Structure formats: structure tokens, C-alpha cells
């Protein structure tokens, strides 16, 4: 798909200009998250202003892309007035192979990516049996190849909207996109250091705050292109890097490093003061979950519910969450709730606990 934005669209002070239908919403999904994706689709229909949305792209990150793509297409009507803006994309369409270094080692890594057993990797749910969490990060960076708007909003299936979505959810008053960040002291250095090394930076080049990795993340589409092209020029195809010889890089830390290397700081590109929205992960205790539900009751725009956390909700929390969904028209009969609450935990890698 030919993109309509140019190489001049991202600078050290990228700003949103307030124009309509300039956002492409991108969700990466796989088969065990279909019911959460359905919830997200209904929330988009209910709460996303149509004049904000250029396209909705759902990237199927699964061993069987065709079957999952058909399943996503079958829920097109759930997007309501936005259904005509939905496009379903196989993850492999985003891959490029003829990029980066050449030579025997590069060829070996490409072969290992195509045949995971040669890389001695545990079987996963994504492309050719690689880990879904790793390939998801490839998709979030490489999706620029399919986006035709100047801005991209990266999501996960676990995120759904719980109230009308204003532009201020994604952009600060000065036009910078709003990134959910954490203090450097709370960052995982095993992710930060290798990501910074991709841009020739030492870990101490980091500023006081770095990307958290929690979605939603609004970002200039051209920035995703710049990060992808820089990393692929150095380390080869993204899918090979993340599937075979990843040292700890993450898409959020690579974006952080790029902003520092190219623009001097993360703050030159992003508003880093955005507070953490309600998020319920596998590792969160009952008090955290209750606080997240409190925030939704008090008007929070979105909620992130990780599939691995669903089975750990107490009955009281399920009842409370079901009431919130019903109040917002996101669920119908008891069957809706049964399907959501039966989402499989699965074998969630340790890295995914914080994703």
C-alpha cells in the first residue's frame, strides 16, 4: 500500500495538527485473544469518533494466518459505523528479507527464523511457531508499511475503550503524542541496554523517563519507518532479529533509543507525562485490580485486561467488571460474558507479564 506521508513528516518536535481522520488504529492479535478483540471492536464502535479514524488495521499474528484472518473478518459488523474502515493484515505481509547485513551468519539466522527448531526455540503461537510476544513487536514497528495516515495508534487486543475518546487521550496541548512512560529507575536494563546498542548508545544515554511499553501508543508513522529502517540496516530483518538473535530489544525501548539518537531526547518527540491508564495484568494483586476498576468507574477512557489475568479475577471483580461492560453496552447476553471469562490463560512467557 502506498503511503501518503513523506520523509519530512517526523522531526525532533513532531506535532499533531488537529486534522480529522488522520489516525490509523492498529491491533496485533492471535487466536486466543479473539473474544478480547471482539470487546475492543464493540468499544471502538461505541466510543471512537468516526472523524478521528482513518483506518483500523488488525494484524493477525498466528501460525494459521488465513484461519485467524477469516475469524476476524467474521466479526466485522462489531465495528459498527467503522466496519468499512477495518482491514485485516497477515503479519507476514509486513516482513522484508532483503535488508541488512549479508554473509554466512546472516544467512544462517534467516534459515533459523524459517525453521525454529534449528534455533532451539520453544514452540510458540505465532509465525512458524515463534513466540507471539516477540513477533508482535515486529508488527508494531513494521506496520508503517501498511499505514497511509501520518499518525498511528498502537493497541493490543487486551485494550478496550470505556468512555468517549477525545483527541487529548493521544495528544498533548502542544501537539506531541502522549507516551506512557516510567522512571528510568524502574526500567528493565536487560531491555534498555541492547535496544540502545542498536543505535550506538550506552545505557547512560537514557533520560529520566523511558517508554513503559503499555499501549495505547500514538506515534508518527514516519517515526516507525525510521526505527524499522535503522534497525534492519544494522541487524537485518526485524522478524529474524526478534525470532532468533534478540538480546532483549523491545519495540518501546527501540523507539526511546531512536528519539535520543536522532532528536536528542524522548521528550523532543513525545509528551512523557501521561499517567498510567487502568491496566490489569497477570502479576497484579486484588488491590491493584480493584483500583483499576475504580478508575474506570471514575471515567477512565480505556482499560487493558490481559488474557492471563482473566482467570485470576475474583467472582466479585468479575461481577463488577460485567456491570461496567453492560452499562457501556459492550456485552449482551450471558454468553458474551461466558466467552470473555473463559479466555485461556495459556503458557505466558515471563517477558509477556510486563507487556
Amino acid at each position: 500500500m502506498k503511503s501518503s506521508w513523506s520523509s519530512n513528516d517526523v522531526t525532533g518536535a513532531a506535532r499533531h495538527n488537529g486534522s480529522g481522520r488522520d489516525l490509523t488504529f492498529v491491533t496485533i492479535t492471535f487466536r486466543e485473544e479473539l473474544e478480547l478483540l471482539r470487546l475492543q471492536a464493540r468499544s471502538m464502535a461505541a466510543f471512537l469518533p468516526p472523524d478521528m479514524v482513518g483506518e483500523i488495521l488488525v494484524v493477525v499474528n498466528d501460525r494459521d494466518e488465513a484461519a485467524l484472518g477469516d475469524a476476524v473478518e467474521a466479526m466485522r459488523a462489531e465495528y459498527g459505523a467503522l466496519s468499512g474502515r477495518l482491514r485485516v493484515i497477515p503479519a507476514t505481509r509486513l516482513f522484508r528479507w532483503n535488508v541488512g547485513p549479508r554473509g554466512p551468519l546472516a544467512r544462517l539466522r534467516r534459515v533459523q527464523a524459517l525453521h525454529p527448531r534449528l534455533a532451539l526455540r520453544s514452540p510458540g503461537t505465532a509465525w512458524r511457531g515463534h513466540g507471539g510476544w516477540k513477533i508482535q513487536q515486529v508488527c508494531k514497528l513494521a506496520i508503517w508499511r501498511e499505514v497511509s495516515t501520518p499518525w498511528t495508534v498502537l493497541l493490543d487486543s487486551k485494550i478496550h475503550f470505556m468512555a468517549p475518546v477525545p483527541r487529548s487521550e493521544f495528544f498533548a496541548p502542544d501537539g506531541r503524542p502522549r507516551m506512557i512512560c516510567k522512571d528510568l529507575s524502574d526500567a528493565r536494563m536487560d531491555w534498555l541496554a541492547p535496544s540502545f546498542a542498536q543505535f550506538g548508545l550506552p545505557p547512560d544515554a537514557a533520560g529520566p523517563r523511558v517508554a513503559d511499553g503499555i499501549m495505547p501508543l500514538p506515534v508518527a508513522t514516519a517515526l516507525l519507518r525510521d526505527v524499522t529502517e535503522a534497525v534492519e540496516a544494522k541487524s537485518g530483518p526485524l522478524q529474524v532479529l526478534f525470532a532468533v538473535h534478540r538480546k532483549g530489544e523491545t519495540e518501546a525501548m527501540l523507539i526511546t533509543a531512536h528519539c535520543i539518537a536522532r532528536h536528542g531526547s524522548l521528550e523532543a518527540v513525545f509528551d512523557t507525562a501521561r499517567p498510567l491508564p487502568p491496566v490489569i495484568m497477570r502479576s497484579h494483586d486484588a488491590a491493584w485490580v480493584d483500583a483499576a476498576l475504580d478508575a474506570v468507574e471514575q471515567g477512565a477512557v480505556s482499560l487493558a485486561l490481559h488474557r492471563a489475568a482473566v482467570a485470576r479475577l475474583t467472582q466479585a471483580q468479575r461481577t463488577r467488571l460485567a456491570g461496567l461492560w453492560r452499562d457501556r453496552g459492550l456485552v449482551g447476553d450471558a454468553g458474551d460474558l461466558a466467552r470473555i471469562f473463559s479466555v485461556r490463560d495459556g503458557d505466558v512467557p515471563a517477558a509477556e507479564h510486563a507487556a
Side-chain angles (χ1 to χ4, degrees):
M1 183 174 187
K2 184 176 176 58
S3 297
S4 60
W5 38 265
S6 72
S7 60
N8 296 321
D9 288 332
V10 59
T11 69
R15 298 292 187 268
H16 180 254
N17 63 15
S19 60
R21 293 189 63 168
D22 57 351
L23 306 183
T24 294
F25 290 81
V26 175
T27 296
I28 321 298
T29 198
F30 78 113
R31 72 189 72 181
E32 291 183 0
E33 294 182 332
L34 273 175
E35 291 307 318
L36 295 179
L37 182 69
R38 188 186 309 277
L39 192 64
Q40 181 186 94
R42 292 175 178 176
S43 77
M44 287 179 160
F47 297 125
L48 272 186
D51 64 359
M52 184 188 292
V53 183
E55 274 195 297
I56 297 170
L57 304 184
V58 174
V59 180
V60 292
N61 175 31
D62 198 88
R63 284 188 179 187
D64 191 341
E65 291 180 336
L68 182 59
D70 289 344
V72 175
E73 283 286 358
M75 66 171 69
R76 178 177 290 271
E78 303 283 14
Y79 290 86
L82 299 174
S83 61
R85 302 182 204 179
L86 172 67
R87 195 152 53 92
V88 183
I89 298 171
T92 50
R93 188 188 298 176
L94 306 177
F95 298 172
R96 298 294 181 271
W97 290 94
N98 191 28
V99 292
R102 303 291 187 267
L105 180 58
R107 287 195 296 273
L108 173 61
R109 286 172 170 170
R110 285 165 169 77
V111 171
Q112 288 176 316
L114 290 168
H115 303 283
R117 289 185 180 180
L118 296 179
L120 304 178
R121 294 289 187 266
S122 300
T125 60
W127 168 68
R128 290 185 175 268
H130 289 292
W133 185 77
K134 294 180 180 179
I135 303 302
Q136 172 180 280
Q137 295 176 81
V138 175
C139 297
K140 286 180 178 177
L141 292 175
I143 190 60
W144 69 268
R145 293 175 169 134
E146 291 287 332
V147 175
S148 59
T149 60
W151 294 96
T152 300
V153 179
L154 298 175
L155 302 170
D156 299 304
S157 299
K158 63 177 174 284
I159 294 170
H160 52 282
F161 299 107
M162 299 293 283
V165 182
R167 286 187 179 270
S168 59
E169 182 73 4
F170 304 126
F171 297 97
D174 65 2
R176 285 178 300 164
R178 303 181 70 199
M179 175 184 276
I180 301 163
C181 292
K182 62 174 63 175
D183 291 341
L184 179 61
S185 59
D186 295 326
R188 285 190 55 164
M189 296 305 296
D190 57 332
W191 291 358
L192 184 150
S195 299
F196 276 44
Q198 287 285 337
F199 290 89
L201 297 174
D204 60 10
R209 290 175 68 75
V210 296
D212 192 306
I214 297 291
M215 306 293 127
L217 174 59
V219 58
T221 306
L223 188 147
L224 295 177
R225 176 203 59 210
D226 291 348
V227 174
T228 298
E229 291 183 344
V231 174
E232 290 194 327
K234 176 181 175 64
S235 298
L238 284 179
Q239 67 274 15
V240 177
L241 168 64
F242 279 93
V244 177
H245 61 109
R246 172 182 177 266
K247 296 180 179 178
E249 297 90 344
T250 69
E251 95 285 350
M253 285 298 186
L254 289 170
I255 289 172
T256 299
H258 164 83
C259 290
I260 293 170
R262 178 72 67 88
H263 306 298
S265 69
L266 187 62
E267 289 74 17
V269 179
F270 290 94
D271 170 21
T272 62
R274 180 178 180 179
L276 182 71
V279 177
I280 301 174
M281 307 290 283
R282 181 182 194 175
S283 58
H284 291 151
D285 61 19
W288 178 286
V289 174
D290 289 338
L293 298 180
D294 288 344
V296 173
E297 290 176 345
Q298 294 161 13
V301 169
S302 67
L303 171 66
L305 175 63
H306 196 288
R307 73 184 189 283
V310 171
R312 291 162 173 75
L313 297 174
T314 67
Q315 186 56 51
Q317 289 165 345
R318 290 184 179 214
T319 300
R320 190 177 176 194
L321 188 52
L324 288 168
W325 287 334
R326 286 197 184 99
D327 288 347
R328 288 153 177 79
L330 301 185
V331 296
D333 57 22
D336 276 346
L337 291 171
R339 286 188 294 271
I340 295 170
F341 287 133
S342 65
V343 168
R344 289 176 55 194
D345 181 340
D347 182 14
V348 183
E352 243 183 294
H353 294 173

